[in-house]
């Protein structure tokens, strides 16, 4: 395979403090050598080695591809009417998911696959090179399994979310649905998933039900992650830490004990500002988590109901404006933070040995992602060293 040198980089975010200044490991006037899909060398442009191909960055900023560690992309249908009603004064609750469940069940495999590919490509054009994808809009054994099969054909980061809400057929017997989720449905889905997730929230699953789902998944080799404390205070964060979950996602309503638990654990607090933006809800307090020492990730929560955006740049801008994050912290959370939430060391950084997932901005600095909200700044993307945009 040919080697590629990206040079004349005005500002390079490596996320490796050993390579540059600050937590972002910033380098100016830099270059990156890519070989066999991996980063082979990083350093000053004046010292760059020879390569088969050369790309002139023109003094623009280069950073790792975004790592979106929380997305719901296997679905059909549209919830425009629900969004319109919410923006006209109705409140958001967990029950709207069932609208998407009906549409997803009615869709063909080909329709679901095409929809997923459309959103993955949409995200890639905006600099996202790693995407986690959940099931959760089928809620039958067959529909959950096919969602994960479809997702697994496009990403290795697949999450079993049969416990998204109680399936409508089990509305009068949620215990029986938990039995299904932890039994036959899990058996069908585990071969296609890396993670197990549960929506631990009023209107979805309580702490005991969530623990049963997560522990059953662990027994099948799946790693927990938890929809935690989105709409109200609850047991989700504590449960995530107790079970060693990779992430507790949303983290909007936290007690001091919740914050301390996250700060004292390896569980990443994944914040999803698109959901608060789209539901006019209270934003999570990223500053509180960061000051306590917790690891924070930013993700889109892309889904048709509560956060219909695939733009990590948008989430960065909102996190800086509304959640107390600095531009550096938000960019780190959207790259290295997401990698931590997926327990990945090969993405989210531009360091020797990392997968060459890179994005070039049409801007001199990563700060422009927050400074110029809503502007499409992604000028080029490389995925595993291959030019994708």
């Amino acid at each position: 395979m040919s080697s590629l040198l990206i040079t004349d980089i005005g500002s390079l975010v490596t996320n490796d403090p050993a390579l540059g200044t600050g937590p972002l490991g910033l380098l100016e006037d830099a270059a990156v050598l890519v070989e066999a899909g991996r980063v082979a060398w990083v350093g000053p442009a004046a010292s760059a080695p020879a390569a088969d191909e050369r790309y002139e960055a023109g003094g623009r900023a280069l950073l790792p591809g975004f790592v979106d560690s929380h997305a719901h992309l296997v679905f059909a249908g549209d919830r425009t009417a629900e969004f319109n009603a919410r923006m006209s004064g109705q409140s958001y609750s967990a029950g709207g998911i069932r609208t998407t469940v009906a549409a997803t069940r009615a869709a063909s495999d080909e329709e679901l696959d095409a929809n997923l590919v459309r959103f993955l490509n949409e995200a890639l054009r905006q600099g996202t090179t790693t995407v986690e994808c959940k099931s959760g809009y089928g809620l039958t054994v067959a529909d959950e399994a096919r969602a994960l099969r479809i997702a697994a054909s496009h990403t290795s980061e697949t999450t079993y979310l049969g416990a998204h809400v109680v399936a409508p057929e089990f509305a009068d017997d949620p215990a029986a649905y938990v039995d299904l989720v932890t039994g036959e449905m899990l058996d069908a889905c585990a071969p296609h998933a890396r993670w197990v997730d549960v929506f631990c929230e009023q209107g979805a699953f309580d702490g005991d039900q969530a623990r049963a789902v997560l522990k059953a998944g662990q027994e099948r080799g799946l790693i927990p992650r938890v929809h935690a404390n989105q709409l109200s205070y609850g047991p989700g964060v504590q449960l995530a830490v107790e079970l060693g979950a990779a992430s507790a996602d949303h983290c909007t309503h936290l007690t001091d004990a919740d914050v301390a638990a996250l700060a004292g654990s390896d569980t990443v607090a994944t914040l999803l500002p698109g959901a608060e933006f789209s539901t006019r809800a209270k934003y999570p307090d990223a500053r509180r988590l960061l000051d306590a020492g917790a690891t924070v990730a930013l993700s889109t929560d892309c889904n048709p109901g509560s956060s219909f955006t695939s733009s990590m740049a948008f989430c960065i801008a909102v996190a800086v404006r509304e959640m107390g994050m600095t531009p550096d912290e938000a960019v780190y959370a959207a790259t290295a933070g997401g990698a931590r939430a997926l327990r990945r060391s090969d993405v989210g950084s531009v360091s020797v040995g990392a997968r060459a997932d890179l994005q070039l901005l049409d801007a001199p600095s990563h700060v422009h992602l927050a400074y110029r909200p809503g502007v499409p700044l992604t000028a080029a993307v490389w995925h595993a060293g291959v030019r994708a945009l």
Side-chain angles (χ1 to χ4, degrees), residues 203-339:
F205 298 90
D206 64 25
D208 290 339
Q209 293 168 328
R211 178 180 283 102
V213 169
L214 296 173
K215 288 183 74 68
Q218 285 180 307
E219 290 170 2
R220 291 298 304 270
L222 305 183
I223 308 167
R225 46 198 332 111
V226 184
H227 281 63
N229 300 52
Q230 177 187 3
L231 306 177
S232 60
Y233 294 98
V237 165
Q238 296 291 336
L239 180 61
V241 173
E242 173 194 330
L243 296 182
S247 66
D249 298 34
H250 288 290
C251 294
T252 307
H253 297 85
L254 301 180
T255 64
D256 289 344
D258 292 333
V259 174
L262 289 166
S265 74
D266 292 329
T267 299
V268 174
T270 299
L271 309 183
L272 310 167
E276 281 75 34
F277 180 90
S278 295
T279 60
R280 287 181 173 160
K282 167 191 171 185
Y283 286 99
D285 188 347
R287 182 81 270 135
R288 182 184 179 199
L289 286 161
L290 289 164
D291 288 347
T295 300
V296 171
L298 285 176
S299 293
T300 64
D301 191 18
C302 186
N303 74 84
S306 61
S307 183
F308 205 5
T309 180
S310 58
S311 174
M312 290 287 278
F314 167 76
C315 292
I316 287 171
V318 174
V320 171
R321 172 63 180 83
E322 301 290 347
M323 291 160 49
M325 301 185 84
T326 68
D328 284 10
E329 289 168 339
V331 167
Y332 187 90
T335 51

Side-chain angles (χ1 to χ4, degrees), residues 42-260:
V42 180
S47 304
D52 299 318
E53 300 178 42
R54 187 181 179 98
Y55 181 93
E56 297 286 343
R60 293 174 288 181
L62 188 77
L63 60 155
F66 293 131
V67 180
D68 190 348
S69 62
H70 184 126
H72 306 252
L73 301 180
V74 184
F75 68 88
D78 180 274
R79 283 158 68 182
T80 302
E82 177 188 320
F83 176 80
N84 191 36
R86 193 162 61 241
M87 293 301 103
S88 302
Q90 293 185 14
S91 61
Y92 173 70
S93 67
I97 291 167
R98 295 181 181 89
T99 303
T100 300
V101 169
T104 303
R105 290 178 177 181
S108 67
D109 289 8
E110 292 74 18
E111 289 168 331
L112 294 177
D113 186 84
N115 208 34
L116 171 61
V117 169
R118 179 165 69 93
F119 289 117
L120 290 174
N121 287 337
E122 182 180 279
L124 184 66
R125 292 193 298 270
Q126 300 173 88
T128 299
T129 50
T130 302
V131 179
E132 179 262 10
C133 188
K134 305 179 191 294
S135 67
Y137 289 128
L139 308 188
T140 68
V141 173
D143 285 307
E144 287 296 292
R146 73 165 177 157
L148 287 166
R149 283 197 304 270
I150 290 167
S153 68
H154 299 285
T155 178
S156 61
E157 301 298 344
T158 54
T159 300
Y160 169 48
L161 184 58
H164 202 177
V165 293
V166 174
E169 298 84 358
F170 291 84
D172 297 327
D173 194 359
Y177 185 67
V178 172
D179 288 343
L180 180 68
V181 168
T182 57
E184 182 184 357
M185 187 183 288
L186 175 60
D187 291 340
C189 291
H192 311 291
R194 182 183 180 203
W195 309 96
V196 58
D197 199 347
V198 59
F199 190 9
C200 184
E201 185 59 71
Q202 294 178 17
F205 298 90
D206 64 25
D208 290 339
Q209 293 168 328
R211 178 180 283 102
V213 169
L214 296 173
K215 288 183 74 68
Q218 285 180 307
E219 290 170 2
R220 291 298 304 270
L222 305 183
I223 308 167
R225 46 198 332 111
V226 184
H227 281 63
N229 300 52
Q230 177 187 3
L231 306 177
S232 60
Y233 294 98
V237 165
Q238 296 291 336
L239 180 61
V241 173
E242 173 194 330
L243 296 182
S247 66
D249 298 34
H250 288 290
C251 294
T252 307
H253 297 85
L254 301 180
T255 64
D256 289 344
D258 292 333
V259 174

Side-chain angles (χ1 to χ4, degrees), residues 1-6 32-36 40 49-54 385:
M1 296 179 66
S2 62
S3 57
L4 168 68
L5 182 70
I6 304 174
V32 174
L33 179 67
V34 175
E35 293 180 342
D52 299 318
E53 300 178 42
R54 187 181 179 98

